[in-house]
């Protein structure tokens, strides 16, 4: 261990009397701390992963500490800031450009393997100019995507929020018209053809779209975007496509978004939403049905969950129990900048709560 004090603290909490004879987990923990866990952005100066792990384990009864440690060693999925940045850097060339090539290929019946012919087609350039990029949260990393495009996405095509005001929408359409004219395209009323909605993570999909039976309305970010696009001539209602690009998401979220967005767009006569996920998280990652009885008992122990975090925003997920996270997703997932509340409460519980999470979360909404 680099930090002898942290190692000693951890050994004391776990009851490892002789530090020289402890289980061989210490080098593994230190390696992962150096490589990933120390870089969690919510950790403060002078307190990194090993210290946090020891203090976190100390909250459990002695009989449960080994199970809690195994949760970290065997199940934790930590998606670092560097890994998310890598996904963003691949998004433009590997996904966005490929969609444009597909559309030109289909529209002009050019075989998809004729890559050079497609890339040189005037329509390919036109679609590049008439693409609009909207961030759905501060995790969208719109600035990184723009830089990764090597200048193919201009400032006038990208916006870090999905709620566009009238003035901003008008400015973007004017800039679009100027860009098209400069490139030699004659368009009287310019519209955006390809809409890219960007975000870093989805665990349940409820934030993007859900149906509120009480009000008989669709709610979430996706319905708001569609309504904005159809106001003020942002798109030609007969000719546009909308893509939701998530850098990582669970299969649960993907299925939820695709199901409810299809119902929403069909009901209102909108073009369908197309979901693109760069790094899907498979159902086997979730721990809601873990075959390990000790682990399941730990996760469901009411002494290890503080349901004061359950507010009106949390109840949108359909549960009053925070132990398995928002919408009961039961994910052992941590993002380098913040832990999603779809994860286990033992991982994300805020620091002012007991027990607090190993990677405490900073919530967007604060009612406690």
């Amino acid at each position: 261990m680099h930090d002898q004090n942290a190692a000693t603290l951890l050994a004391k909490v776990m009851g490892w009397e002789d530090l020289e004879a402890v289980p061989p987990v210490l080098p593994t923990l230190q390696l992962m701390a150096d490589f990933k866990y120390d870089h969690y952005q919510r950790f403060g100066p002078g307190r990194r992963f090993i210290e946090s792990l020891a203090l976190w384990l100390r909250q459990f009864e002695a009989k449960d500490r080994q199970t809690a440690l195994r949760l970290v060693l065997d199940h934790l999925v930590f998606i670092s800031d560097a890994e998310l940045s890598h996904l963003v850097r691949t998004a433009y060339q590997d996904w966005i450009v490929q969609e444009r090539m597909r559309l030109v290929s289909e529209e002009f019946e050019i075989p998809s393997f004729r890559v050079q012919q497609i890339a040189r087609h005037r329509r390919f350039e036109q679609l590049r100019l008439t693409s609009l990029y909207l961030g759905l949260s501060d995790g969208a990393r719109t600035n990184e995507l723009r830089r990764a495009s090597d200048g193919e996405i201009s400032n006038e095509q990208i916006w870090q929020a999905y709620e566009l005001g009238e003035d901003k929408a008008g400015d973007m359409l004017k800039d679009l018209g100027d860009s098209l004219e400069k490139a030699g395209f004659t368009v009287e009323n310019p519209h955006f053809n390809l809409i890219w909605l960007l975000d870093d993570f989805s665990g349940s999909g409820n934030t993007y779209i859900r149906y509120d039976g009480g009000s008989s309305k669709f709610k979430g970010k996706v319905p708001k975007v569609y309504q904005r696009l159809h106001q003020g001539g942002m798109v030609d209602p007969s000719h546009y496509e909308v893509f939701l690009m998530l850098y990582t998401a669970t299969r649960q979220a993907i299925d939820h978004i695709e199901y409810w967005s299809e119902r929403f767009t069909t009901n209102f006569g909108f073009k369908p939403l197309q979901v693109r996920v760069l790094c899907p998280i498979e159902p086997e990652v979730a721990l809601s049905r873990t075959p390990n009885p000790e682990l399941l008992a730990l996760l469901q122990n009411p002494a290890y969950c503080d349901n004061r975090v359950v507010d009106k925003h949390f109840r949108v997920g359909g549960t009053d129990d925070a132990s398995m996270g928002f919408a009961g997703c039961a994910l052992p997932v941590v993002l380098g900048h913040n832990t999603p509340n779809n994860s286990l409460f033992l991982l994300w519980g805020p620091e002012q709560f007991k027990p607090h999470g190993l990677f405490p979360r900073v919530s967007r909404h604060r009612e406690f």
Side-chain angles (χ1 to χ4, degrees), residues 24 55 62 90 99 138 153 171 174 184 211 233 251 272 291 341 344:
L55 295 173
T90 64
E99 289 292 346
D138 55 4
I153 299 176
D171 289 343
K174 180 181 182 302
Y211 183 73
R251 290 292 178 187
N341 65 355
L344 303 163

Side-chain angles (χ1 to χ4, degrees), residues 290-349:
T290 174
N292 185 331
E294 291 82 10
L295 178 57
L296 190 61
L298 177 79
L299 300 178
Q300 295 179 339
N301 189 335
Y304 299 145
C305 179
D306 193 331
N307 280 313
R308 286 182 297 160
V309 298
V310 177
D311 56 20
K312 64 179 182 181
H313 306 290
F314 194 92
R315 292 189 183 93
V316 169
T319 178
D320 290 327
D321 181 12
S323 61
M324 292 296 184
F326 182 83
C329 291
L331 298 173
V333 173
V334 174
L335 304 181
H337 64 280
N338 207 13
T339 306
N341 65 355
N342 306 96
S343 289
L344 303 163
F345 179 83
L346 289 178
L347 293 179
W348 66 265

Side-chain angles (χ1 to χ4, degrees), residues 66-83:
Q66 185 62 38
T67 302
L69 182 60
R70 295 315 312 179
L71 167 64
V72 176
L73 289 168
D74 299 340
H75 300 283
L76 181 62
V77 177
F78 189 103
I79 303 175
S80 69
D81 189 68
E83 289 170 322

Side-chain angles (χ1 to χ4, degrees), residues 87-319:
L87 291 175
V88 176
R89 288 194 298 270
T90 64
Y92 186 75
Q93 292 295 338
D94 292 355
W95 293 78
I96 295 173
V97 170
Q98 300 308 312
E99 289 292 346
R100 291 211 313 271
M101 298 191 74
R102 175 186 62 82
L103 290 170
V104 174
S105 172
E106 293 174 356
E107 188 173 344
F108 294 93
E109 298 183 350
I110 303 173
S112 59
F113 62 84
R114 295 186 179 275
V115 175
Q116 191 175 64
Q117 182 180 353
I118 294 172
R120 289 178 174 177
H121 200 284
R122 288 282 287 165
R123 179 61 171 163
F124 185 72
E125 174 66 6
Q126 186 180 34
L127 288 176
R128 180 185 72 81
L129 295 171
T130 58
S131 294
L132 175 66
Y133 304 88
L134 301 176
L136 298 185
S137 77
D138 55 4
R141 299 172 180 248
T142 53
N143 59 331
E144 291 186 43
L145 180 70
R146 181 178 58 80
R147 290 194 294 268
S149 74
D150 292 328
E152 293 197 1
I153 299 176
S154 69
N155 282 325
E156 293 74 26
Q157 293 176 269
I158 198 163
W159 190 241
Q160 64 271 21
Y162 62 96
E163 295 180 295
L164 288 170
E166 293 288 343
D167 291 342
K168 181 60 181 177
D171 289 343
M172 296 186 89
L173 286 173
K174 180 181 182 302
D175 291 333
L176 172 61
D178 293 342
S179 297
L180 289 170
E181 183 178 353
K182 185 177 180 180
F185 296 100
T186 303
V187 181
E188 290 187 10
N189 297 309
H191 304 285
F192 289 103
N193 295 124
L194 306 182
I195 315 299
W196 289 92
L197 312 179
L198 312 167
D199 215 346
D200 58 347
F201 172 81
S202 179
S204 68
N206 281 273
T207 302
Y208 301 96
I209 188 167
R210 61 188 182 276
Y211 183 73
D212 184 351
S215 61
S216 299
K217 292 182 179 179
F218 289 94
K219 295 186 175 181
K221 297 178 180 180
V222 168
K224 289 180 180 179
V225 168
Y226 271 90
Q227 290 162 9
R228 171 69 268 182
L229 291 176
H230 284 263
Q231 295 171 359
M234 292 290 288
V235 296
D236 179 349
S238 64
H239 190 71
Y240 70 96
E241 297 201 29
V242 182
F243 300 89
L244 172 61
M245 173 173 281
L246 301 170
Y247 304 135
T248 181
T250 65
R251 290 292 178 187
Q252 176 182 341
I254 297 169
D255 293 343
H256 174 95
I257 295 169
E258 289 181 338
Y259 175 78
W260 286 109
S261 64
E262 182 180 6
R263 294 189 61 178
F264 166 72
T265 54
T266 300
N267 286 0
F268 287 89
F270 295 147
K271 296 292 185 180
L273 178 72
Q274 302 179 58
V275 182
R276 302 289 185 266
V277 179
L278 279 65
C279 181
I281 298 174
E282 302 300 337
E284 295 77 15
V285 172
L287 297 177
S288 55
R289 290 187 291 272
T290 174
N292 185 331
E294 291 82 10
L295 178 57
L296 190 61
L298 177 79
L299 300 178
Q300 295 179 339
N301 189 335
Y304 299 145
C305 179
D306 193 331
N307 280 313
R308 286 182 297 160
V309 298
V310 177
D311 56 20
K312 64 179 182 181
H313 306 290
F314 194 92
R315 292 189 183 93
V316 169
T319 178

